[in-house]
Amino acid sequence: MSNCNVKIKINGEVIEKEIESRWLLSDFLRDKLGLTGTHVGCEHGVCGACTILLNGEPVRSCLMLAVQADGLEVETVESLAEEDGTFHPIQQAFANNHALQCGFCTPGFLMSVKNFMETHPELPTDDEIREAISGNLCRCTGYSNIIKAVKDAYVLKC
Amino acid sequence: MKPPKFSYLRPNNLQEALDMLAEYGDDAKIMSGGQSLIPLLNMRLSTPGYIIDIGRVEELKGIKEEEDAIVIGGITRHVDVEKSALVQEKCPLLTEGIRWVGHNQIRTRGTIGGSIAHADPSAELPCILTALRGEIVMVSSEEEITVSPEEFFLSYLLTSLEPNQLIKEIRFPKIKKGSGYAFEEVARRHGDFALVEVAVVIELDDDGTIADAKIALGGANSVPFIPEAAEEFLIGKLPDDSILKEAATLQLDDLDPEGDIHGSKEYRRYLSGVLLERALNRAIDRAREGVFA
Amino acid sequence: MKQFVGQNVKRKEDYRLLTGSGKFVADMRIENMVEAAILRSPYAHARIRNIELSRAKNYEGVLDVIVAADLKGKVKPFTEFVEFTLPPQLEADIKPTIKKNPEPMLAEDKVTFVGQAVAIVLAEDRYVAEDALALIKIDYEPLPVVTDPYETIKEEAPVIHPELGNNIQSYFEVKVGDIDHAFRQANHILKTRIKTPRVSGNPLETRGVIAEYQERNQQLDVWSSTQVPFMVRSYLSKLVGLVEGNIRVVAPDVGGGFGPKCAVYPEEIIIPYLAMKYKRPVKWIEDRLEHMQSTRHSRDQVHDVEVAFRNDGTILGLKDQFLLDNGAHNSFALCCAYNSAAHLRGMYLIPNYDITGRIVLTNKTPNVPYRGAGRPEAVYVMDRIIYMIADKLNLDPVEVSLRNFVRPEQMPYETGIFYRDGANMILENGDYVKSLQQALKIAGYDEFRQKQEEARKQNKNIGIGLSSYIEGTGIGPFEGAAVKVDSTGHILVGVGSSPHGQSHETTLSQICADVFGVSPEQVSVRAGDTSLLPYGVGTFASRGAVTAGSAVHGASKQLKEKFLLITGEMLGVSIDDLEMYGGKVYLKNSPSKFVTLQEIAQAAKPGPRCKVPKGIEPGSSATYYFVPPTVTFSSGFHVAVVEVDKETGFVDILRYIVVHDCGRVINPKIVDGQIQGGVAQGIGGALYEEIIYDKNGQLVTGTYMDYLIPTAMEVPEVEMGHQEYLSPHNPMGIKGVGEGGAISPPAAIANAVCDAMRPLKIEINTLPISPNKLRSLIEEAERTESVLK
């Protein structure tokens, strides 16, 4: 069908919508739901700016049709902070360590790091962090403050 | 960079999938994780009339152990293989090699069957499967056929998979106890497609001579390449530096890599020898350490 | 009283950017909006014989399809960006040839590079618009293509713009001293060709424009991902013939710029024009494939250098003839080319100097300044030469550098040429010897040779390489700031400089806060909006802190002065009896007597209760334009320590050290962030990034799979040292820092790689140092037994 109904749990809320089946998940989130925190940088799966969590795992939302997320759970950057606006420890660590400049790639990093920390509960080495974020391109920071921020997030989390 | 229009079909089980393939095969593309297909759609380099999303076909999912092989369902994701204790134990070459596939965010969606079916000559899985002498099980509404990698990979991005067939499962032979293995790759950046990659399994006899050698090179040809003469040369030899060097460079002239901006034909050919030597060394060290003893 | 300048004040920008509530152009949607997609030329050089639009126009959901003919008489082409034309003094001195080179908004009768915009589809959404692109049929007649700068200057080369006569668009020469004499005096003459290839700045956010026109008041609102909203406004007005005051251009959150967004593009003119024509908001967001083809590239220089030097390493003279391959158009006068000429000697004396630059056109995407803007190219030439001299004389390159430095006692040092802003180019202060020593100390240079020897024994090739740079930063002509205190006592700052990652909201609030003696929390900074000020320039050329910082400082001081006067009137005292701190004005010696900023702001309101002294305009605001006398020279040293895998040709950066001087540091973390980020881009240029065209002018590196931006695995943490020589050219002593990090890495890394391969003689005179290229050099050196003494 060229149109489909989807039911996706997005940031805790179940969304049901009819969409064109060719729509990318990234565009669906941004244009149809107004969740513009997920950014689109390359639309061919290299830059990682559009990284979201699908059932808790990081994926490129530009390399997924929205319809493929039907029945699944999506988390975007908008879900990170507390309801009262308090930062998630990862966000706080990024702010503490000047881990962002223009901020365009940042949401993708945050989502990759969230999953990384959940799957690596012990403080990782720098090399492990570097590998974990190597699927996210940043053109501003030169990465080293992001690595510091990830380590700091482990401290803040405790 | 938005996908063109298509009709989206999502079979719930294998039979439905095969029926859809039988009906729309010529104008359809199978999608599992979509990590190779969606970039092509976004660039409008592929404009299928139908997309058959087999991502929910449970029969195609899973990792199971058979007597000689680890059998992995076509739509099993890279990340599930990467984390599988069974694979790590019985076929550690696959665990070592799969970490080189793209990045984590790709491996969480990309599937084993998808990578094999895409048949990029620089991709890791075709090379590993070829080195292991594994098998690909293809299925259509009419029949199920098991083929070798040599029968399956025909050329750059071209396989023997017919429009009405899909990959049901892939059989990765277990690595025998007393064998050593190694996967070596170089890419311009971490996570990029390989310039060249090598997968090796070496079995040593009790006296330290090489009982069996299985090798495949990726990125060195339009399909994964088995250097048969080098394998034969190694068998029965007591390995030392000069023997390994000789084996590594024995068949470089037989390689016909595609040159591009990241590496010329000559460089890739030369690099194949360097990596093969490194892989052989590492595999033999591992075999000697008796990792599986 | 607490000072905030110099402190690591946390960024005000971060909250929105970390929570996904920032607003980039692509994040905006306007009711009734249509989206645009652009058909771009698949040919590098071709005549357009016919365009067939009917199928596309009739496609469901398409509003219209626009081609050049639709713009005829309505929208003028770009001719040149007057902002980049030469000041008269410089023009008179170097007497350049610069041919005007109009760039059409949409290709008319022919296309001159792959990616040139040919047609625009407006449709209900981008998916539909892209569907319609596929339905446009254009009949092209391919023309001969030229992509090589040396081919394009040959007599027989196809002429890209026949009205220019040939493909040499600009020519200039800069001379100091007596070059022939220098060459006659020399013990040695070294001749070489050194090339910096074409790269792309590639901000993670592509370009994008949204425009909305309100007929009610003829107001045209434009949101663009640009570094220069005022320039966009000015060209919109000029080229479409609009009242400038009716145009508002906003650069909302901008996802990186680095130079490529520092000029006006055809889309920034056409999209607003179409919003007016169709009376519907229009949105165009460039995709990455378009970005690679149509957002302007940079660098692409080849230098043929000859250098004359003595046995002790003293350089007597340097001759250089270089080409800058600018692609199909150049609207930037001599910008990057002259920067290269002015900076090539760097911190070295080189008393005799003769450089000629030619900007040539080819069938490639036009060029634009990109982080460093002509300096990385120049530094790569100069510091490779230092190493080649050292090799020739069997000296340590540090010794050769020291032999040629401008010494601290020679400061301020007159270089004998004009800078691009028309002022005498004078290195104002700094101690290069001391900076170098600091860098060498951090790097452990003296101990390194020992380590290198030991590593060699284990068959490991490690090497160390240096590079130095100076950079004219904070170029004028001016920057503006408006500071006001509102009726709640909050301070609002508006600036003309438009940020894209530089942290203006934080650093400029620190500057303002210190003047008023308040916390930066009490100051809000707004930027990137032409409605904030009558005039503004933008953020590029390492100028934000220098020019906008000085403007905010000046405007804040003026307003503080005015507030003291008002307070004097309020309290009936002389301003000499008053002092301002903590957001209050106190009567000296009587700290219980004070008025707040809020009270003063209320007393500044016109009307019967106004306390503004007679002869002064009422109001609680001040606007100040800072006009720098000339640029201010930042400088630095980079040291790279690398390991080369001799067998594969792969280079691993083990350590990277930067010691730099950017004058007064406003926020150390932000300065360090600029350096680290600049180095990452420099590493990209050194080892990974290259824009490649084939012979037919097809872009080979058109995706992120081919154009290799470094990841976290490729960029080490930079170890930094600071020098702080305050510039005399602005009140706070600031020098620019944005570009410095990106200038030296290619030279430092190339030098380190050559050093690692010693005693093999490897000369890396082109970039990037790909494993394939390096392996070929190693093989060649081994084959010819080319070994250094």
Side-chain angles (χ1 to χ4, degrees):
Chain A
M1 305 315 110
S2 57
N3 277 334
C4 304
N5 282 305
V6 293
K7 188 171 168 183
I8 310 174
K9 191 170 182 186
I10 296 176
N11 298 337
E13 191 190 337
V14 177
I15 306 279
E16 282 192 77
K17 250 189 171 26
E18 188 189 335
I19 51 149
E20 239 190 304
S21 48
R22 63 167 163 167
W23 269 63
L24 298 171
L25 179 58
S26 47
D27 290 334
F28 177 66
L29 292 170
R30 293 173 48 77
D31 289 1
K32 302 294 183 195
L33 305 180
L35 294 169
T36 53
T38 298
H39 296 152
V40 172
C42 76
E43 291 177 291
H44 55 287
V46 184
C47 81
C50 68
T51 303
I52 53 130
L53 299 183
L54 183 73
N55 286 357
E57 289 177 312
V59 305
R60 314 273 204 223
S61 62
C62 79
L63 290 195
M64 254 191 95
L65 304 175
V67 62
Q68 286 180 288
D70 184 29
L72 307 180
E73 207 169 314
V74 166
E75 289 164 73
T76 69
V77 66
E78 285 89 349
S79 70
L80 288 179
E82 308 270 337
E83 252 174 41
D84 67 357
T86 310
F87 272 151
H88 184 281
I90 301 171
Q91 292 170 314
Q92 187 62 57
F94 269 60
N96 291 352
N97 290 279
H98 188 29
L100 61 153
Q101 290 180 23
C102 81
F104 190 82
C105 69
T106 310
F109 274 92
L110 297 174
M111 301 319 281
S112 291
V113 170
K114 180 168 189 260
N115 168 266
F116 175 70
M117 290 179 68
E118 282 162 4
T119 51
H120 297 74
E122 300 297 321
L123 182 69
T125 63
D126 282 18
D127 286 345
E128 287 168 329
I129 298 171
R130 284 181 183 278
E131 175 154 12
I133 60 169
S134 65
N136 292 84
L137 294 180
C138 172
R139 195 59 160 160
C140 293
T141 65
Y143 304 104
S144 70
N145 284 347
I146 298 178
I147 291 149
K148 285 178 204 160
V150 174
K151 286 190 279 188
D152 194 24
Y154 273 87
V155 177
L156 294 175
K157 190 187 64 171
C158 300
Chain B
M1 295 182 74
K2 310 293 179 195
K5 281 189 172 161
F6 52 76
S7 291
Y8 175 81
L9 303 169
R10 188 164 70 202
N12 291 308
N13 55 54
L14 184 58
Q15 193 54 52
E16 269 183 38
L18 296 175
D19 290 346
M20 286 172 182
L21 269 180
E23 190 172 350
Y24 305 111
D26 290 335
D27 191 24
K29 273 272 176 197
I30 299 173
M31 182 162 76
S32 52
Q35 302 302 282
S36 303
L37 178 58
I38 295 184
L40 297 176
L41 294 174
N42 289 359
M43 295 181 194
R44 300 202 179 208
L45 295 172
S46 174
T47 55
Y50 297 86
I51 283 194
I52 303 174
D53 177 3
I54 57 171
R56 307 283 168 106
V57 177
E58 288 300 320
E59 298 113 294
L60 298 176
K61 215 176 270 181
I63 304 170
K64 60 183 190 229
E65 182 177 5
E66 288 186 2
E67 197 180 333
D68 300 328
I70 300 297
V71 181
I72 301 181
I75 67 163
T76 310
R77 303 175 310 157
H78 291 97
V79 74
D80 297 320
V81 174
E82 186 183 347
K83 288 180 181 161
S84 160
L86 179 65
V87 173
Q88 170 72 62
E89 193 196 333
K90 306 290 182 183
C91 194
L93 175 68
L94 184 52
T95 309
E96 182 167 300
I98 207 157
R99 294 188 180 130
W100 287 85
V101 179
H103 299 279
N104 187 32
Q105 298 91 332
I106 297 292
R107 298 195 293 267
T108 52
R109 291 290 298 164
T111 65
I112 306 300
S115 172
I116 296 288
H118 191 59
D120 191 304
S122 298
E124 290 78 6
L125 286 170
C127 175
I128 293 166
L129 185 69
T130 305
L132 288 168
R133 311 293 188 260
E135 289 171 322
I136 297 137
V137 182
M138 308 187 291
V139 60
S140 69
S141 55
E142 285 149 24
E143 57 181 347
E144 188 172 303
I145 307 169
T146 301
V147 296
S148 69
E150 286 132 299
E151 292 164 317
F152 185 80
F153 299 115
L154 300 180
S155 184
Y156 181 79
L157 302 182
L158 190 69
T159 70
S160 62
L161 199 65
E162 294 290 335
N164 66 340
Q165 292 175 318
L166 57 79
I167 294 178
K168 185 182 168 203
E169 59 197 26
I170 297 130
R171 304 171 61 85
F172 292 91
K174 292 181 191 170
I175 292 178
K176 286 189 218 161
K177 286 190 189 296
S179 294
Y181 64 91
F183 182 83
E184 287 280 341
E185 170 172 330
V186 286
R188 286 294 301 279
R189 286 175 310 181
H190 178 78
D192 282 339
F193 272 108
L195 283 170
V196 172
E197 74 217 334
V198 183
V200 168
V201 184
I202 297 284
E203 195 184 331
L204 293 182
D205 274 330
D206 294 342
D207 63 358
T209 58
I210 296 174
D212 193 17
K214 297 199 190 79
I215 304 168
L217 296 152
N221 219 331
S222 65
V223 292
F225 180 81
I226 297 177
E228 285 170 13
E231 290 178 351
E232 276 167 33
F233 168 83
L234 284 166
I235 292 169
K237 297 246 169 30
L238 193 63
D240 63 24
D241 286 355
S242 70
I243 289 206
L244 297 187
K245 190 173 245 359
E246 193 176 341
T249 49
L250 197 61
Q251 280 189 270
L252 294 189
D253 289 343
D254 298 338
L255 301 178
D256 189 20
E258 193 86 5
D260 68 11
I261 53 168
H262 303 304
S264 66
K265 186 187 279 280
E266 295 70 29
Y267 176 64
R268 283 170 196 258
R269 191 180 276 153
Y270 157 84
L271 206 53
S272 301
V274 173
L275 292 200
L276 180 50
E277 191 183 342
R278 289 181 182 183
L280 287 170
N281 267 302
R282 234 165 26 89
I284 284 165
D285 283 351
R286 269 192 174 130
R288 281 182 183 146
E289 281 164 22
V291 179
F292 304 100
Chain C
M1 190 169 58
K2 186 168 178 185
Q3 289 282 312
F4 290 94
V5 167
Q7 306 291 321
N8 283 324
V9 171
K10 272 197 205 164
R11 292 213 321 163
K12 297 181 164 211
E13 293 84 349
D14 285 352
Y15 189 82
R16 64 176 189 270
L17 297 171
L18 283 163
T19 52
S21 47
K23 270 271 177 281
F24 296 86
V25 171
D27 301 341
M28 300 178 58
R29 299 195 68 76
I30 301 174
E31 189 76 16
N32 200 33
M33 173 179 100
V34 287
E35 291 199 58
I38 299 178
L39 186 73
R40 298 186 180 277
S41 170
Y43 286 97
H45 200 192
R47 198 170 308 288
I48 297 174
R49 279 199 292 230
N50 187 40
I51 302 183
E52 174 48 54
L53 300 175
S54 55
R55 282 183 69 208
K57 285 192 180 193
N58 292 329
Y59 188 74
E60 196 187 336
V62 170
L63 174 65
D64 207 352
V65 184
I66 295 93
V67 294
D70 301 309
L71 304 178
K72 207 147 199 127
K74 310 270 175 38
V75 182
K76 295 190 195 107
F78 289 125
T79 44
E80 58 175 352
F81 294 131
V82 289
E83 293 78 359
F84 291 88
T85 51
L86 275 59
Q89 314 88 296
L90 180 58
E91 174 109 40
D93 185 49
I94 63 171
K95 299 181 191 67
T97 304
I98 303 173
K99 301 177 196 164
K100 281 192 186 161
N101 181 214
E103 180 179 359
M105 294 292 142
L106 291 173
E108 289 164 6
D109 52 343
K110 72 171 199 168
V111 291
T112 53
F113 64 94
V114 167
Q116 186 173 9
V118 181
I120 301 187
V121 172
L122 299 182
E124 292 310 318
D125 66 43
R126 176 74 182 222
Y127 286 75
V128 174
E130 289 191 19
D131 293 345
L133 287 186
L135 303 175
I136 299 172
K137 289 280 166 281
I138 299 186
D139 180 13
Y140 289 103
E141 177 193 339
L143 297 169
V145 170
V146 59
T147 58
D148 180 272
Y150 287 99
E151 292 299 318
T152 205
I153 58 176
K154 287 183 180 163
E155 284 274 320
E156 63 271 25
V159 179
I160 298 169
H161 304 291
E163 66 277 17
L164 302 189
N166 58 32
N167 295 327
I168 302 170
Q169 187 263 339
S170 297
Y171 171 88
F172 70 97
E173 184 168 9
V174 177
K175 281 181 167 184
V176 183
D178 182 345
I179 194 74
D180 295 332
H181 182 72
F183 272 69
R184 283 194 299 271
Q185 301 298 306
N187 302 116
H188 305 273
I189 291 171
L190 191 150
K191 210 172 157 176
T192 189
R193 174 173 287 185
I194 299 179
K195 185 178 167 186
T196 296
R198 179 172 280 244
V199 296
S200 160
N202 252 288
L204 256 280
E205 183 206 24
T206 56
R207 295 183 295 128
V209 188
I210 299 185
E212 181 180 29
Y213 181 66
Q214 300 177 54
E215 275 196 292
R216 182 173 67 82
N217 55 4
Q218 289 93 51
Q219 166 92 12
L220 178 64
D221 287 308
V222 179
W223 293 267
S224 180
S225 180
T226 179
Q227 298 172 234
V228 284
F230 286 90
M231 194 170 162
V232 173
R233 181 183 67 173
S234 154
Y235 283 87
L236 247 178
S237 162
K238 273 189 232 177
L239 302 179
V240 188
L242 304 173
V243 173
E244 196 180 70
N246 285 342
I247 306 169
R248 178 188 182 195
V249 178
V250 175
D253 285 319
V254 173
F258 315 118
K261 294 179 185 171
C262 171
V264 189
Y265 281 87
E267 294 87 347
E268 288 172 305
I269 307 296
I270 311 172
I271 297 296
Y273 168 74
L274 295 177
M276 293 175 67
K277 180 175 174 186
Y278 293 96
K279 301 184 174 56
R280 285 183 73 175
V282 180
K283 177 180 191 174
W284 168 73
I285 302 299
E286 182 185 55
D287 66 35
R288 188 59 59 183
L289 296 184
E290 291 184 276
H291 184 86
M292 299 306 300
Q293 295 186 342
S294 72
T295 290
R296 296 173 186 133
H297 301 153
S298 198
R299 317 256 194 262
D300 215 347
Q301 293 189 5
V302 196
H303 291 250
D304 283 313
V305 204
E306 282 181 77
V307 59
F309 52 100
R310 280 208 294 251
N311 285 329
D312 67 354
T314 306
I315 301 172
L316 300 174
L318 189 148
K319 280 193 255 190
D320 182 3
Q321 296 205 329
F322 75 97
L323 298 181
L324 192 170
D325 178 348
N326 214 84
H329 289 277
N330 177 28
S331 310
F332 292 86
L334 301 182
C335 182
C336 286
Y338 192 78
N339 278 351
S340 295
H343 288 82
L344 194 124
R345 288 182 294 166
M347 5 179 117
Y348 308 108
L349 288 162
I350 313 183
N352 305 289
Y353 179 51
D354 188 340
I355 184 164
T356 62
R358 277 177 289 177
I359 299 176
V360 302
L361 304 181
T362 56
N363 293 114
K364 299 194 276 197
T365 300
N367 264 11
V368 73
Y370 158 51
R371 205 169 195 169
R375 289 124 182 147
E377 301 91 312
V379 163
Y380 187 50
V381 170
M382 194 61 233
D383 282 332
R384 282 299 301 133
I385 284 177
I386 294 288
Y387 268 65
M388 290 164 83
I389 291 173
D391 283 346
K392 175 90 185 168
L393 300 175
N394 198 20
L395 291 173
D396 191 300
V398 170
E399 210 178 318
V400 178
S401 290
L402 286 170
R403 189 88 66 211
N404 291 287
F405 277 156
V406 174
R407 321 288 302 184
E409 61 272 17
Q410 291 170 293
M411 295 286 185
Y413 175 74
E414 294 226 19
T415 62
I417 62 174
F418 283 115
Y419 196 70
R420 195 157 58 84
D421 60 6
N424 285 325
M425 178 170 161
I426 298 170
L427 308 179
E428 69 256 47
N429 57 18
D431 185 337
Y432 303 145
V433 179
K434 205 164 132 189
S435 300
L436 172 61
Q437 283 163 349
Q438 189 185 354
L440 295 178
K441 195 172 166 210
I442 299 173
Y445 193 82
D446 295 338
E447 306 87 74
F448 184 81
R449 295 295 168 206
Q450 177 86 30
K451 275 190 208 156
Q452 194 174 30
E453 250 345 281
E454 282 160 21
R456 274 201 194 112
K457 283 178 200 150
Q458 294 163 37
N459 219 5
K460 275 188 167 182
N461 296 85
I462 59 172
I464 192 163
L466 266 82
S467 172
S468 63
Y469 70 89
I470 55 152
E471 188 202 358
T473 65
I475 199 163
F478 69 90
E479 195 54 271
V483 178
K484 69 178 174 196
V485 178
D486 72 5
S487 62
T488 66
H490 193 77
I491 304 173
L492 297 158
V493 177
V495 287
S497 165
S498 182
H500 32 98
Q502 292 84 354
S503 325
H504 283 33
E505 290 167 46
T506 308
T507 52
L508 300 179
S509 75
Q510 289 175 255
I511 291 173
C512 177
D514 278 359
V515 174
F516 284 96
V518 298
S519 150
E521 294 299 310
Q522 210 179 318
V523 183
S524 296
V525 175
R526 302 244 193 283
D529 184 343
T530 60
S531 70
L532 292 167
L533 283 160
Y535 317 101
V537 181
T539 304
F540 53 89
S542 304
R543 69 189 301 280
V546 179
T547 60
S550 300
V552 169
H553 184 258
S556 303
K557 277 183 66 171
Q558 276 189 5
L559 187 58
K560 176 184 174 178
E561 227 28 55
K562 185 171 184 181
F563 268 37
L564 289 174
L565 287 170
I566 298 169
T567 311
E569 194 80 6
M570 289 167 81
L571 300 180
V573 298
S574 149
I575 65 162
D576 298 334
D577 299 327
L578 299 171
E579 56 187 348
M580 182 186 278
Y581 56 87
K584 298 184 181 82
V585 177
Y586 292 90
L587 199 56
K588 280 183 196 164
N589 311 323
S590 173
S592 62
K593 193 121 196 224
F594 62 84
V595 289
T596 64
L597 290 183
Q598 181 176 13
E599 287 163 337
I600 306 167
Q602 283 164 358
K605 262 188 210 166
R609 292 195 184 84
C610 182
K611 294 285 184 193
V612 178
K614 283 210 166 52
I616 302 173
E617 276 291 305
S620 60
S621 65
T623 300
Y624 177 78
Y625 291 95
F626 174 71
V627 180
T630 180
V631 292
T632 175
F633 280 90
S634 296
S635 62
F637 285 88
H638 288 210
V639 185
V641 181
V642 303
E643 179 171 351
V644 177
D645 182 335
K646 193 176 169 182
E647 283 187 321
T648 62
F650 274 71
V651 175
D652 191 15
I653 303 173
L654 304 175
R655 289 180 70 197
Y656 202 94
I657 294 110
V658 172
V659 168
H660 74 112
D661 167 29
C662 66
R664 166 94 62 215
V665 171
I666 303 168
N667 186 318
K669 251 190 192 164
I670 288 170
V671 165
D672 289 355
Q674 288 293 319
I675 297 283
Q676 173 77 34
V679 168
Q681 291 185 8
I683 288 172
L687 296 175
Y688 303 102
E689 296 177 37
E690 183 178 11
I691 289 280
I692 301 172
Y693 284 88
D694 70 12
K695 281 198 162 40
N696 299 318
Q698 292 298 325
L699 179 61
V700 181
T701 49
T703 75
Y704 270 0
M705 268 117 68
D706 316 299
Y707 190 80
L708 309 178
I709 289 176
T711 77
M713 300 292 275
E714 283 85 35
V715 182
E717 181 175 356
V718 176
E719 301 163 59
M720 289 179 219
H722 304 273
Q723 300 277 339
E724 207 168 315
Y725 292 94
L726 303 190
S727 172
H729 299 320
N730 59 72
M732 300 180 66
I734 302 168
K735 298 173 178 175
V737 72
E739 296 167 281
I743 294 175
S744 271
I749 293 167
N751 286 338
V753 171
C754 293
D755 184 59
M757 292 319 301
R758 292 170 73 92
L760 270 191
K761 187 183 178 195
I762 304 277
E763 285 185 356
I764 299 172
N765 289 345
T766 179
L767 300 166
I769 311 164
S770 72
N772 192 160
K773 228 181 269 171
L774 179 54
R775 187 51 224 168
S776 303
L777 289 171
I778 293 169
E779 247 169 47
E780 176 70 13
E782 282 176 334
R783 197 177 55 77
T784 58
E785 292 175 13
S786 179
V787 175
L788 291 160
K789 271 180 266 173

